[in-house]
Amino acid sequence: MNTPGAVACKQLKWRVHFKCLYGLGVLLVWALFGSASASAAERLIVSPQGPYTTIQAALSAAQAGDTIEVRGGVYTGNLVLDKSVILEGTPGSVSGQKPTLDAGGRGTVVTINAPDVTVRGFEIRNSGSEPDQDHAGITVNAPRALIEQNRLDEVLFGIFVAEGPDSIVRANDITSQARYESGRKGDGIRLWYSPRVTLENNHVHAARDLVIWYSQGVRIINNLIENGRYGVHLMYSDDSLIANNRLLNNSVGIYAMYSKGVELVDNDVRDQRGPSGYALGFKDTDNVTVENNLLVENRGGIFLDGTPFTPNSFARFENNILAFNDVAVTAMPAVKRVEFTNNTFWENIEQMSVHGGGGSPDANTWQGNFWSDYTGLDADGDGRGDTPYVAEKLFENMTDRMPILRVLLYSPAAQAIEFAAASFPIVKPRPKFADPAPRLTPAPLPATTQPPADTRREMVAASLMLLMIAAGAIVIAKRDKPMIESDSVPKPTAQSLPAAHRTAELAQAVVCAESVGKTYGKTRVLNDVSFCVEAGQALALWGPNGAGKTTLVKAMLGLISFQGNIRIKGLQVRQQGKKTRGFIGYVPQLTMFYDWSVQTTCEFYARLKHVPAARVPQLLQQLGLAPHASKSVTALSGGQKQRLALALALLADPPILLLDEPTANLDSAARAEFVRLVDDLKRQGKTILFASHRLEEVEALADRVLWLAENQPMRLMDLEEWRALVSPAVELTLWLGNEQRERASAFLNAQGWDAHLNGRGTIVVRARAQEKIRALKLLEANGFVVDDFQVERQTEVE
Amino acid sequence: MELTLTWTIARRELREALRNKWLWFYALGFGVLAFGLAQAGMSAAGYAGLGGFGRTAASLINSLLLFVPLIGITVGAGVIAGERERGTLLYLLAQPVNRAEVFFGKALGAALAVIAALALGFGIAGLGLANQGGDPASFLALVGFAVLLALASLGIGFIISALTHKAATASGAAMIVWLALVFIGDLGLIGATMAFRPTPASMLTLVLVNPLQIFKLGAIYSLRSTIDTLGAAGQYAMIQFGDTLPFVLVSLLVGWTALSFALAYGVFARKGDV
């Protein structure tokens, strides 16, 4: 039945069916074509075994959105990605290593020309290296690239994002070509007109710079950048965030120029020590926020030039730690409106430097910072110093003006200048700034700071070694035994043998002086002195003080320069002093000993003379010093000291004894004892030269006498002649009767006497002392009667 | 020259020098000072982790620059002049020894004494540092440079001693020379620098004339492996010598030591009259 209602109903059903069919058709089309398009995003496998053996072949077959999986192997050539693909390297099943993309030293290894490309998991190496080309490991020329987990090595530039906005560079390891010095290398990462790029978790090392130019809103987070030139170089790039990065051992850390809105947070910047090695530098940059950064051991912590640049902009440094930097903050003189708040300045060599000097101390704000060299107090206990921290050091000001003077840092002279400046207000420098209420406690170090290596054991060992060296020196000094054992000491020579064994040698022992002269300044002390002493003889050196006796003794010992020649046993003293001294035992007028015991003194000189130590007790016994062996020499009497000197002289049993007024300071008993000892030695055959003032010593010891007198020629004489010379002349006054007086005078003159009448009724006879009795006897024998006489000594003997 | 004689005289000199209370005063004073500086410098909580080279290390170098040459010059100045004045030198030279044996024996003995004093001072300081950690290699290198400076200073002291006859004169001259090396020379250099503005190379050369400055460069290098903290002249030295810088500095100090002792011996040997 085709009622309008039924027709309407049929039409409605038809429309419903039609719609259902339409829907099914759409589903069918989707199923046919949509699923076909999903299957195009499949993985294309590239490996040495296929299905694709080259990346280029896979790339040609790939559609946008495909993933090209590269499994191991080395793929050479310059790869250009002009489709939006994911290029993913997976380790080879055999080698286990990432696939390598190698450009063979020509051009860029991977160039991305399509948006939304991912390059992940490759070893990328061997780009070109021409300095006028930007050859890179990866160059990005399109937006939204994702570059991650690649290792780039031996590439000039690492990753060059040129007009690649919104790209992400993540977890890559990048280094440049090792053969070039840093200026010749390319940049590890370079951003060029690429806003909103994120650089994170990358390790950039031994490359040139990490450059961000003309790129706004860049985020640089958690990267490790080391051993490069500029850690991060930001230019014309506003609204950047640089956070949680570690920058180690670059020439410069982070340097921002001509940018606005730069935020540096939680970075750890150490050892930036290039020629201008600043951890952080800012030039003509506005709205700078620097917080919680750790800046350690850099040449400069912070450098400010024209920052903040425009009015109403700011530069804030807050809660940063600046430690062990050469200069914590360097600012150009015109810098102003910078705020330093709650920072810690710890052990920086110079806390703040105004480059070139000058500037105003009020230009910037310093508030509540900690200064490790602050010496003020906190009487009210509020954690703030009660007096301002003022940076005013004269030598610092000098180095600010003339940086080359920094070479004198740490010198006492620099300290002296600072001391002078502090002491004398006239030279007090102008303060660079003042922090009115400094903090008294430094900020805690970040928890991530590595504790120092535990070297306590090594340091203790090194210290103990040094203390042992000190102790060793003391032991050496205190040891009684020589360090060189007696076996290595030359065996005793004939000198050290008893006299009985050396008769032949003694027979040759002679001392000969030829024309010996000595002048001290303008004073002629010795003039043309010549003599010879034969073996076994004793020669006395006689003369007044200043006659040159001691000078002659010194000359014989070779202790002074002199004219003429002195030979000891045929050897020239001047040329062979050591040998000739070996033939001589010397006793000075007053022997000066070291402050030792008798025994130690003897042992010391025994060593010098190569005499066995056993000889010492024997000699001490012989000279009556054995009971005093352990005494200090300072405790000996004068006589004992001279006996000790004689003992030392006799240590090597020398053939010649040279004694320089040895008894001058002794009492009569000691003198007699000493002379007896020397007389014994003479009897044993020693050749003896001795200076003396005492007649009885010469009488007792000398065979001949060398007479020395100031400004007079020397005279060598036998004992008789000497006696005659040293006997005093006398004037004998005689009283005789008037009738005999003239005759007696004439008689004496006729007999060779020197007699004259003196006009007072007496005769005066001049004669030698020993002849006066003979004059009296002569007169008496010839009939003259001498009523009385008087003797007057005319001259004194020196 | 018989080494046995030289050694015998050296031992005597060592014994004599070790009896000098001033030597121990210097050594202990230096040790206590260094210990105190180490404690003060390292004890701030938490900051040992940074382990840097700062003002405290600078103070230590400053103290060394004052103490070490003082020990060397004063000990050296007293050795010959003192014995000459007492008369013991004449008696010693009257023995069968030659002047070289006496001179070098004395030099060796005095050198051992000075080394012992420094070893004691540094040993004490080192024990103080040990508790705080520290780098033993740097520490020992610093000790080595200090010993070389002490020896160079000792040689300078020996020149003074050989030229003078009285201990008091020698001591006075020693203080003047010490002042000249420590202060006057550097102050003169500062004045000359401000007047003539030398290049870094010239400045470095001028600085290296003074053994104290050589030591200072060596000490800084020992502590931080670079001397670039000393500005342009320091950077020039690093560029010019690089890793060989410590050897250059050691050579210069050894040269100073050899030259000063050679000069002193020349004076002692040629000055014929005792």
Side-chain angles (χ1 to χ4, degrees):
Chain A
M1 180 176 78
N2 289 325
T3 63
V7 170
C9 183
K10 283 179 183 174
Q11 285 175 342
L12 179 64
K13 283 180 180 173
W14 170 244
R15 279 200 287 268
V16 169
H17 285 296
F18 179 77
K19 282 184 179 178
C20 289
L21 285 171
Y22 177 78
L24 285 171
V26 168
L27 280 173
L28 188 61
V29 168
W30 178 83
L32 286 172
F33 298 100
S35 64
S37 99
S39 66
E42 293 172 359
R43 284 180 171 264
L44 287 74
I45 306 300
V46 180
S47 79
Q49 294 77 35
Y52 294 97
T53 56
T54 69
I55 298 171
Q56 197 58 54
L59 193 59
S60 299
Q63 300 295 318
D66 282 356
T67 295
I68 300 172
E69 182 182 336
V70 183
R71 295 179 177 173
V74 177
Y75 301 88
T76 56
N78 307 103
L79 187 62
V80 178
L81 301 177
D82 48 9
K83 294 178 181 171
S84 301
V85 295
I86 298 169
L87 185 66
E88 185 172 276
T90 55
S93 56
V94 180
S95 68
Q97 291 182 340
K98 286 181 178 179
T100 299
L101 307 181
D102 190 329
R106 286 183 303 173
T108 291
V109 186
V110 179
T111 304
I112 297 171
N113 290 334
D116 303 307
V117 166
T118 294
V119 176
R120 179 189 300 130
F122 287 92
E123 176 100 15
I124 297 171
R125 50 187 294 116
N126 278 338
S127 75
S129 58
E130 290 83 354
D132 57 339
Q133 305 285 322
D134 296 337
H135 298 310
I138 301 173
T139 295
V140 179
N141 296 320
R144 299 181 301 280
L146 170 60
I147 315 292
E148 64 180 352
Q149 296 172 16
N150 302 289
R151 182 168 182 274
L152 294 95
D153 191 9
E154 283 301 312
V155 290
L156 186 62
F157 286 73
I159 298 169
F160 183 9
V161 185
E163 299 186 58
D166 300 303
S167 294
I168 297 171
V169 178
R170 178 192 295 150
N172 300 286
D173 184 292
I174 304 165
T175 187
S176 183
Q177 288 163 331
R179 60 186 179 275
Y180 297 130
E181 51 83 28
S182 68
R184 172 69 176 79
K185 292 175 194 278
D187 301 324
I189 300 175
R190 172 180 280 202
L191 265 57
W192 198 262
Y193 291 101
S194 299
R196 300 175 303 283
V197 168
T198 297
L199 309 178
E200 60 185 356
N201 296 324
N202 298 289
H203 180 197
V204 182
H205 50 107
R208 188 171 64 187
D209 306 332
L210 195 156
V211 170
I212 318 293
W213 280 28
Y214 307 109
S215 302
Q216 320 306 320
V218 170
R219 290 155 45 85
I220 304 171
I221 298 169
N222 209 28
N223 300 284
L224 170 59
I225 304 163
E226 58 186 338
N227 301 319
R229 192 175 66 176
Y230 277 72
V232 177
H233 192 194
L234 203 68
M235 190 123 104
Y236 301 109
S237 298
D238 297 343
D239 302 319
S240 307
L241 172 65
I242 304 175
N244 286 99
N245 300 286
R246 292 186 74 207
L247 292 101
L248 307 176
N249 199 33
N250 303 289
S251 185
V252 177
I254 302 168
Y255 206 96
M257 301 169 74
Y258 315 122
S259 301
K260 191 170 186 176
V262 178
E263 192 174 353
L264 274 66
V265 184
D266 293 323
N267 298 289
D268 184 345
V269 190
R270 303 187 190 215
D271 294 303
Q272 318 300 309
R273 304 205 61 87
S276 53
Y278 302 111
L280 311 177
F282 302 91
K283 178 169 173 56
D284 297 352
T285 300
D286 283 334
N287 296 351
V288 173
T289 302
V290 180
E291 289 180 357
N292 298 321
N293 298 284
L294 184 60
L295 314 178
V296 180
E297 285 217 87
N298 304 287
R299 186 184 303 287
I302 296 166
F303 176 71
L304 294 163
D305 179 9
T307 300
F309 185 61
T310 56
N312 302 321
S313 63
F314 62 86
R316 293 186 185 124
F317 294 81
E318 197 167 344
N319 294 327
N320 301 287
I321 294 173
L322 295 97
F324 302 113
N325 301 290
D326 292 0
V327 183
V329 177
T330 302
M332 299 304 282
V335 167
K336 54 189 177 183
R337 290 185 288 111
V338 181
E339 299 164 36
F340 291 93
T341 310
N342 284 336
N343 300 287
T344 293
F345 291 84
W346 179 266
E347 288 282 302
N348 301 292
I349 304 295
E350 186 175 351
Q351 304 285 32
M352 197 252 178
S353 163
V354 179
H355 194 80
S360 165
D362 303 322
N364 304 294
T365 305
W366 304 81
Q367 190 66 46
N369 301 286
F370 172 85
W371 306 93
S372 60
D373 56 333
Y374 177 65
T375 53
L377 291 172
D378 176 22
D380 54 10
D382 65 352
R384 304 279 166 170
D386 298 337
T387 52
Y389 173 85
V390 182
E392 48 179 358
K393 290 198 165 60
L394 183 57
F395 188 72
E396 282 186 1
N397 286 11
M398 291 164 74
T399 55
D400 288 349
R401 286 196 176 85
M402 196 167 287
I404 199 162
L405 281 176
R406 286 185 69 84
V407 76
L408 293 172
L409 274 176
Y410 319 128
S411 301
Q415 295 288 95
I417 287 173
E418 296 298 3
F419 178 76
S423 306
F424 305 107
I426 194 164
V427 287
K428 201 167 187 173
R430 185 172 173 229
K432 286 185 275 195
F433 69 91
D435 188 337
R439 281 173 58 174
L440 290 180
T441 49
L445 282 178
T448 52
T449 303
Q450 296 287 321
D454 186 359
T455 55
R456 277 179 291 184
R457 236 181 237 178
E458 290 87 341
M459 279 299 291
V460 167
S463 306
L464 290 179
M465 188 185 78
L466 292 172
L467 293 175
M468 281 171 67
I469 289 172
I474 294 169
V475 168
I476 289 171
K478 296 282 180 191
R479 270 173 70 117
D480 285 334
K481 287 184 181 174
M483 291 300 285
I484 298 169
E485 294 300 330
S486 57
D487 284 353
S488 61
V489 174
K491 298 296 179 193
T493 61
Q495 293 175 39
S496 60
L497 297 173
H501 298 281
R502 297 178 45 226
T503 313
E505 192 176 312
L506 285 173
Q508 300 166 359
V510 287
V511 178
C512 263
E514 298 165 9
S515 303
V516 174
K518 176 65 185 174
T519 304
Y520 286 116
K522 292 179 180 174
T523 308
R524 187 75 173 159
V525 180
L526 286 176
N527 192 23
D528 200 20
V529 174
S530 299
F531 64 88
C532 272
V533 183
E534 292 180 8
Q537 278 198 337
L539 176 70
L541 309 179
W542 182 266
N545 284 338
K549 300 187 297 296
T550 298
T551 302
L552 184 58
V553 169
K554 286 184 177 177
M556 284 189 276
L557 288 167
L559 298 179
I560 57 171
S561 59
F562 56 89
Q563 295 90 47
N565 290 311
I566 299 175
R567 283 198 300 274
I568 308 285
K569 291 193 71 175
L571 302 177
Q572 290 280 2
V573 167
R574 193 180 286 114
Q575 278 87 38
Q576 293 179 286
K578 181 178 170 182
K579 276 192 178 172
T580 58
R581 284 191 290 276
F583 296 127
I584 297 173
Y586 167 60
V587 179
Q589 182 176 342
L590 182 62
T591 309
M592 298 307 297
F593 298 106
Y594 299 119
D595 188 12
W596 290 335
S597 70
V598 170
Q599 180 77 23
T600 306
T601 302
C602 289
E603 285 173 358
F604 171 68
Y605 288 103
R607 270 176 221 140
L608 289 188
K609 297 180 181 195
H610 298 311
V611 173
R615 170 111 171 110
V616 171
Q618 178 192 339
L619 259 177
L620 292 180
Q621 188 70 40
Q622 187 181 332
L623 292 168
L625 290 169
H628 309 291
S630 58
K631 276 189 189 170
S632 165
V633 288
T634 54
L636 297 181
S637 69
Q640 287 167 337
K641 279 182 184 169
Q642 286 308 78
R643 269 190 280 151
L644 175 58
L646 187 60
L648 299 179
L650 293 171
L651 271 170
D653 196 15
I656 302 164
L657 286 177
L658 187 55
L659 317 174
D660 186 7
E661 300 188 43
T663 61
N665 299 304
L666 303 185
D667 62 26
S668 59
R671 200 161 55 232
E673 173 63 14
F674 193 87
V675 170
R676 188 189 61 72
L677 285 168
V678 177
D679 191 40
D680 283 351
L681 292 166
K682 186 190 170 194
R683 288 173 203 284
Q684 290 169 24
K686 300 283 187 199
T687 304
I688 297 172
L689 291 91
F690 68 101
S692 180
H693 279 310
R694 298 194 170 276
L695 297 170
E696 71 274 16
E697 288 176 7
V698 177
E699 286 282 0
L701 297 172
D703 297 313
R704 289 191 301 155
V705 177
L706 179 69
W707 189 301
L708 299 167
E710 205 172 345
N711 300 321
Q712 287 181 31
M714 56 137 269
R715 295 167 70 186
L716 188 61
M717 60 192 69
D718 60 23
L719 213 52
E720 279 301 312
E721 193 179 348
W722 170 78
R723 284 189 192 114
L725 282 173
V726 297
S727 297
V730 294
E731 279 188 352
L732 185 63
T733 306
L734 305 174
W735 279 266
L736 284 86
N738 289 341
E739 70 283 1
Q740 287 189 321
R741 201 177 297 152
E742 282 193 18
R743 271 198 302 122
S745 175
F747 173 74
L748 284 171
N749 280 314
Q751 293 295 316
W753 296 81
D754 176 8
H756 64 274
L757 296 169
N758 73 349
R760 290 182 296 176
T762 56
I763 298 172
V764 175
V765 181
R766 287 189 178 140
R768 309 303 308 174
Q770 69 269 34
E771 292 173 334
K772 58 186 182 287
I773 297 297
R774 201 161 62 86
L776 290 171
K777 284 180 178 172
L778 186 64
L779 287 171
E780 199 173 82
N782 287 280
F784 296 99
V785 178
V786 179
D787 296 332
D788 199 359
F789 71 92
Q790 183 179 332
V791 180
E792 287 182 12
R793 182 164 287 193
Q794 196 174 41
T795 56
E796 293 289 336
V797 174
E798 288 287 346
Chain B
M1 201 166 96
E2 285 183 52
L3 292 181
T4 52
L5 293 181
T6 306
W7 181 243
T8 298
I9 294 166
R11 284 185 60 219
R12 194 218 75 81
E13 196 59 46
L14 175 62
R15 179 185 287 204
E16 198 72 16
L18 292 182
R19 288 164 68 171
N20 183 344
K21 290 185 183 120
W22 280 105
L23 186 74
W24 296 116
F25 172 77
Y26 290 143
L28 290 172
F30 166 68
V32 170
L33 184 67
F35 179 87
L37 286 173
Q39 290 288 340
M42 305 294 283
S43 61
Y47 275 73
L50 299 180
F53 176 89
R55 286 166 180 261
T56 305
S59 306
L60 184 61
I61 289 174
N62 240 311
S63 310
L64 288 173
L65 280 168
L66 291 171
F67 265 90
V68 174
L70 189 64
I71 295 172
I73 292 177
T74 51
V75 167
V79 169
I80 297 173
E83 275 225 49
R84 204 195 300 269
E85 187 178 15
R86 287 198 301 271
T88 46
L89 181 64
L90 185 144
Y91 190 62
L92 182 60
L93 288 171
Q95 308 305 318
V97 293
N98 62 35
R99 294 199 178 199
E101 286 156 357
V102 170
F103 179 88
F104 289 107
K106 287 183 164 297
L108 179 60
L112 287 174
V114 167
I115 290 170
L118 286 180
L120 178 68
F122 273 108
I124 292 170
L127 285 178
L129 284 165
N131 196 33
Q132 316 288 344
D135 177 11
S138 298
F139 177 65
L140 290 178
L142 182 67
V143 175
F145 274 109
V147 165
L148 285 175
L149 175 62
L151 294 182
S153 308
L154 191 70
I156 294 168
F158 263 74
I159 296 174
I160 296 168
S161 205
L163 284 169
T164 49
H165 286 84
K166 293 192 172 179
T169 314
S171 295
M175 293 311 292
I176 290 169
V177 170
W178 177 75
L179 273 174
L181 286 173
V182 171
F183 293 110
I184 301 168
D186 286 353
L187 290 174
L189 187 56
I190 289 171
T193 303
M194 300 188 97
F196 301 111
R197 297 175 180 271
T199 61
S202 310
M203 191 71 180
L204 183 67
T205 308
L206 288 170
V207 159
L208 290 179
V209 169
N210 186 341
L212 273 70
Q213 291 291 345
I214 302 171
F215 160 77
K216 187 186 82 179
L217 267 52
I220 295 170
Y221 191 92
S222 303
L223 293 171
R224 65 182 313 174
S225 302
T226 178
I227 59 166
D228 62 3
T229 190
L230 297 177
Q235 291 164 37
Y236 174 80
M238 291 308 299
I239 292 166
Q240 195 71 13
F241 302 113
D243 292 342
T244 64
L245 182 65
F247 302 104
V248 172
L249 298 174
V250 165
S251 304
L252 285 171
L253 280 176
V254 169
W256 252 102
T257 306
L259 185 68
S260 56
F261 276 108
L263 273 173
Y265 176 66
V267 173
F268 181 70
R270 286 181 187 281
K271 200 171 183 182
D273 300 351
V274 180

